Amino acid sequence: LNDPNFATDEGGRRSRYNILPGEVTKSVEDTFRYAYNLLCESSPSYADDESLELSLMDEHQKIGTFHFNQLIFDLANYPQSFSGLLAQDLLEFMVSTVSSTPKNERGSNPNVPKPTVETINGVLKAWMVTPNYHDAVARRVESVLAKLAGWQSDGTLWGITPDTVSYNTCINCWKQSGIPGAAE
């Protein structure tokens, strides 16, 4: 993550994401493949696991919510120093893609990966296991839930509400923070 190319576009301008450079966020496929390749390069054991790779073999395979959710959970299962940041970038990319799609096409367009509660829970889990963010994890997890509330209130996302897993993950992060009474 010390690479100066992270989170900048081809002209060196700051990307709106933490990890994803601006030029790869022009298409769903490019964004997904960039994140997938980054995890493969960083985790040899992930690169050896063919579960997600097998579903991407077909060049005509449309990448959708299932693929994004799988990759976000893989970021949690193969923790890297960028797991939480990249998982959150993928979530925000999904939300951006949904919000730029006409409202009458959002639910029916299979080319738009719409976040689900599983997406949210995967991002929370990825933050929970991200190394070197111990004291900030609980705040990051809470900020994801706050963003979700904002997206719901402004009409960007609908029908996605945190569940028991979401709240338990948040409580566990506060418990692990070491701040006395934080999880109460």
Side-chain angles (χ1 to χ4, degrees):
L1 287 183
N2 295 328
D3 184 339
N5 295 321
F6 277 106
T8 58
D9 65 12
E10 292 167 338
R13 293 176 299 270
R14 180 88 171 108
S15 171
R16 64 182 289 211
Y17 300 102
N18 293 299
I19 302 290
L20 295 172
E23 69 269 10
V24 303
T25 59
K26 291 183 173 90
S27 80
V28 170
E29 291 77 13
D30 288 348
T31 302
F32 180 85
R33 290 189 192 286
Y34 178 87
Y36 174 78
N37 289 334
L38 182 60
L39 183 55
C40 285
E41 290 168 11
S42 301
S43 175
S45 59
Y46 181 71
D48 293 340
D49 183 0
E50 298 177 354
S51 60
L52 190 54
E53 183 181 16
L54 290 176
S55 70
L56 299 174
M57 296 296 262
D58 181 5
E59 284 292 320
H60 304 290
Q61 170 74 34
K62 292 293 182 192
I63 295 174
T65 302
F66 165 81
H67 298 96
F68 274 83
N69 285 354
Q70 182 65 51
L71 182 56
I72 288 169
F73 273 97
D74 288 348
L75 285 163
N77 292 331
Y78 296 87
Q80 303 295 315
S81 61
F82 56 81
S83 290
L85 290 168
L86 184 55
Q88 188 160 348
D89 278 0
L90 291 171
L91 168 63
E92 291 183 17
F93 172 79
M94 292 170 78
V95 171
S96 173
T97 304
V98 167
S99 66
S100 66
T101 302
K103 288 189 180 195
N104 62 338
E105 293 178 24
R106 289 183 184 175
S108 60
N109 189 337
N111 298 326
V112 177
K114 183 178 182 275
T116 63
V117 70
E118 289 80 15
T119 312
I120 303 300
N121 290 339
V123 171
L124 301 180
K125 184 177 178 192
W127 270 117
M128 193 167 127
V129 301
T130 299
N132 304 325
Y133 276 88
H134 302 294
D135 44 354
V137 165
R139 286 182 186 87
R140 293 283 190 154
V141 165
E142 265 193 11
S143 78
V144 172
L145 295 177
K147 280 187 175 205
L148 176 59
W151 292 325
Q152 290 170 326
S153 81
D154 71 13
T156 302
L157 291 180
W158 64 98
I160 302 169
T161 55
D163 62 7
T164 305
V165 173
S166 312
Y167 292 119
N168 283 341
T169 302
C170 188
I171 290 167
N172 286 334
C173 287
W174 279 112
K175 233 193 270 188
Q176 292 175 3
S177 75
I179 300 171
E184 295 176 2

